Amino acid sequence: MKVIAVVAALVLALLFQTTLAGMSFRGGTLVNFVLIAVICVALSFGAVTGLLAGAAGGLVQDAIAGGVVGIGGLSKTIVGFFVGVVGAHFIVSQPAPRFVMFVGGTVVHELCFQSLYNLLEGRAPHFAWGTLFTQAAINGLIGILAFQIVEGAPGLMQRRESRRATFGRRRF
Amino acid sequence: MLDIRKRTGWIFLIVIVAQVLLVSAQVQTRSGVPVMEAVSFGAFAKVQGVTSSAVRGVRDVWSNYAELRGARDENQWLKQRLAELEIRLQEQRALAARTTRLQELLTLQQATELPTVAADVIGGNPNAMAGIREITISRGTADGVQPGMAVMAPRGIVGRVIGQPAARASRVQLLIDRDAAAGALTERSRAGGMAVGMDRDPPLGMELVANLQDVKPGDLVVTSGVDGIFPKGYAIGWVETAQRGPGLYLNISVRPAVDFNSLEEVLVILVPPRPALSEAETKAGPEGRK
């Protein structure tokens, strides 16, 4: 069940990422759905699942996006692992801590990602901090929303089923 | 069963390393060599370097040990060789010295008009304690040596043949024997007397020289020829002290011209002494002449 959920999350994230590839906020700031999915998995299932999901999702994303395969995987593996470790030690079931985790995870991911690329291309590291934090905040919001949907959907469906059943037995 | 939750760190490390390798395989260095190849080659080169150093170290230690063992054998061989060469060198030095002495002897032989024969000293050391000083030489009657014949060295008079010589050997009474005597005179003042052996240092003296004669230290004493044995004019020694004696004669000590302690080759003058003197001296011998 866990594997299915993780795979489903990653597939959905990749679909969103490829479908909404052109979507940007504030001039080029892209939402990273795969990273959001990895952080969600890490917070939900722990460090091992988080790092494996990060590795798998990152590699696939790298393969689809072109360029050097492995840099995104490496960055997402690190994020998945540390988010899973932090999530196991602290209570992150509330939206605010989760937002912090998404923001932190996004910052760490971008730092790793950009640093690795700069390292490979032999350039001096340069970070657009404004863009980075904006992306982190958007990822955080989307992540919280995703959590709400994932955690709220089963109850909502159950309530709807119950309501339908109640209406079915009524006689007007 | 393996619980991967307890191996989180290892899994993380493995995944990271795998992805680093994956990235490295796709990236090239500035020289165009793939990073993975460059890194692996560098790492392998370091391992090779360490291995090579270790192997070289072991080989050096072993070769040093082997060389050390070889050096010990070689050292022993060289020591033996050195000893042999030192012996050879001493032989060569002795040969050179002998050649020099023989050359001097030959020069003397050519200088004198008298018939002579060279002889080796084959035995007998001067016995200073007894005051009897004799040597044995390698010439005898077969070489024409007769009793009473004079024996010389390049530096001066040695002595005379005494006793009956053998066919290939003869006894020689040295001039420093206490019973030996030779007619002598000083070369400078021509003061005549008799050189005799003495039990003292210097082992020669000059007797029968009148107090009135002019004899000084440093005067050369030569044979006078009046004894009928030693030819005239050959060196006996140098006057070391000349003092007025209690009687009519001077007390004169003479330092021999010949080093009697290092005699090795001598020259026998093949001229028989005058018959009367030769017969008397020969019959008397060293003991009989006391």
Side-chain angles (χ1 to χ4, degrees):
Chain A
M1 184 66 184
K2 184 171 75 175
V3 176
I4 294 169
V6 171
V7 172
L10 289 176
V11 169
L12 276 174
L14 285 165
L15 284 174
F16 273 116
Q17 192 70 41
T18 51
T19 307
L20 306 175
M23 187 176 74
S24 62
F25 300 91
R26 288 187 59 182
T29 303
L30 296 174
V31 179
N32 197 331
F33 289 101
V34 180
L35 178 62
I36 293 168
V38 169
I39 293 172
C40 288
V41 168
L43 287 173
S44 304
F45 301 112
V48 175
T49 313
L51 75 90
L52 292 175
L59 288 172
V60 175
Q61 189 178 8
D62 286 339
I64 293 170
V68 180
V69 178
I71 293 182
L74 195 63
S75 306
K76 288 181 177 62
T77 302
I78 293 168
V79 171
F81 175 75
F82 285 106
V83 168
V85 170
V86 173
H89 287 83
F90 299 97
I91 298 169
V92 286
S93 56
Q94 297 301 312
R98 283 177 176 167
F99 180 78
V100 172
M101 296 306 296
F102 277 106
V103 170
T106 305
V107 170
V108 170
H109 175 267
E110 288 301 314
L111 289 177
C112 290
F113 192 84
Q114 296 295 335
S115 299
L116 283 171
Y117 256 112
N118 289 331
L119 185 69
L120 294 178
E121 292 175 359
R123 294 182 303 185
H126 172 73
F127 301 104
W129 295 106
T131 308
L132 175 61
F133 281 107
T134 305
Q135 183 189 9
I138 294 167
N139 281 353
L141 292 173
I142 294 174
I144 290 169
L145 183 63
F147 258 116
Q148 295 295 331
I149 292 169
V150 170
E151 289 174 351
L156 183 68
M157 295 297 289
Q158 196 173 11
R159 282 196 296 275
R160 282 191 62 181
E161 289 296 327
S162 304
R163 213 164 31 236
R164 278 184 185 171
T166 306
F167 288 145
R169 285 196 296 272
R170 286 182 182 176
R171 291 181 179 177
F172 297 98
Chain B
M1 185 158 177
L2 184 65
D3 186 0
I4 62 169
R5 286 173 299 185
K6 294 181 180 176
R7 303 281 188 272
T8 307
W10 284 110
I11 294 168
F12 175 67
L13 191 65
I14 290 166
V15 173
I16 290 290
V17 169
Q19 289 184 99
V20 167
L21 292 176
L22 181 65
V23 171
S24 302
Q26 302 166 70
V27 180
Q28 291 186 343
T29 59
R30 289 178 183 173
S31 59
V33 180
V35 168
M36 197 169 180
E37 187 180 327
V39 171
S40 59
F41 179 74
F44 190 67
K46 283 192 184 300
V47 172
Q48 270 187 322
V50 172
T51 309
S52 174
S53 298
V55 169
R56 193 165 51 241
V58 171
R59 191 178 56 202
D60 288 349
V61 167
W62 176 253
S63 89
N64 286 341
Y65 171 70
E67 283 176 5
L68 206 60
R69 289 189 63 187
R72 189 177 62 186
D73 295 341
E74 192 179 5
N75 189 30
Q76 287 179 346
W77 182 81
L78 285 173
K79 279 182 179 174
Q80 189 178 351
R81 181 77 179 144
L82 183 64
E84 290 173 3
L85 289 175
E86 280 180 347
I87 291 170
R88 189 78 58 82
L89 181 63
Q90 287 175 11
E91 288 173 357
Q92 294 297 323
R93 279 179 178 164
L95 192 62
R98 180 179 167 80
T99 305
T100 305
R101 288 195 305 270
L102 288 175
Q103 193 170 10
E104 289 174 359
L105 208 62
L106 185 63
T107 305
L108 175 65
Q109 197 172 22
Q110 289 172 344
T112 181
E113 295 176 351
L114 301 170
T116 57
V117 62
D120 288 327
V121 177
I122 58 175
N125 289 321
N127 187 346
M129 294 300 290
I132 300 169
R133 298 174 173 96
E134 292 179 6
I135 58 172
T136 305
I137 60 173
S138 62
R139 299 289 185 181
T141 53
D143 303 298
V145 178
Q146 293 179 21
M149 285 183 170
V151 179
M152 298 170 62
R155 291 179 182 274
I157 292 297
V158 172
R160 61 173 182 155
V161 178
I162 57 169
Q164 183 58 42
R168 294 289 177 189
S170 302
R171 284 196 304 152
V172 174
Q173 181 191 39
L174 300 181
L175 194 58
I176 56 175
D177 186 290
R178 66 188 175 194
D179 294 321
L185 55 85
T186 58
E187 190 182 49
R188 182 182 61 84
S189 60
R190 315 305 289 179
M194 188 171 61
V196 294
M198 293 188 170
D199 293 332
R200 68 182 188 195
D201 185 40
L204 271 182
M206 194 169 171
E207 295 180 347
L208 305 177
V209 179
N211 277 331
L212 299 175
Q213 293 287 340
D214 177 20
V215 179
K216 292 179 181 177
D219 283 349
L220 178 63
V221 179
V222 297
T223 52
S224 62
V226 296
D227 51 26
I229 300 173
F230 300 105
K232 188 178 179 181
Y234 287 93
I236 293 175
W238 286 270
V239 174
E240 195 162 283
T241 58
Q243 297 170 341
R244 183 177 293 275
L248 298 174
Y249 305 110
L250 291 168
N251 283 332
I252 301 171
S253 62
V254 178
R255 176 69 59 187
V258 174
D259 182 5
F260 291 97
N261 288 318
S262 60
L263 275 178
E264 292 184 56
E265 295 91 16
V266 293
L267 210 61
V268 181
I269 297 174
L270 297 176
V271 175
R274 283 184 296 219
L277 187 60
S278 171
E279 187 180 355
E281 289 293 322
T282 305
K283 286 180 179 174
E287 283 75 19
R289 282 180 278 112
K290 284 182 182 177

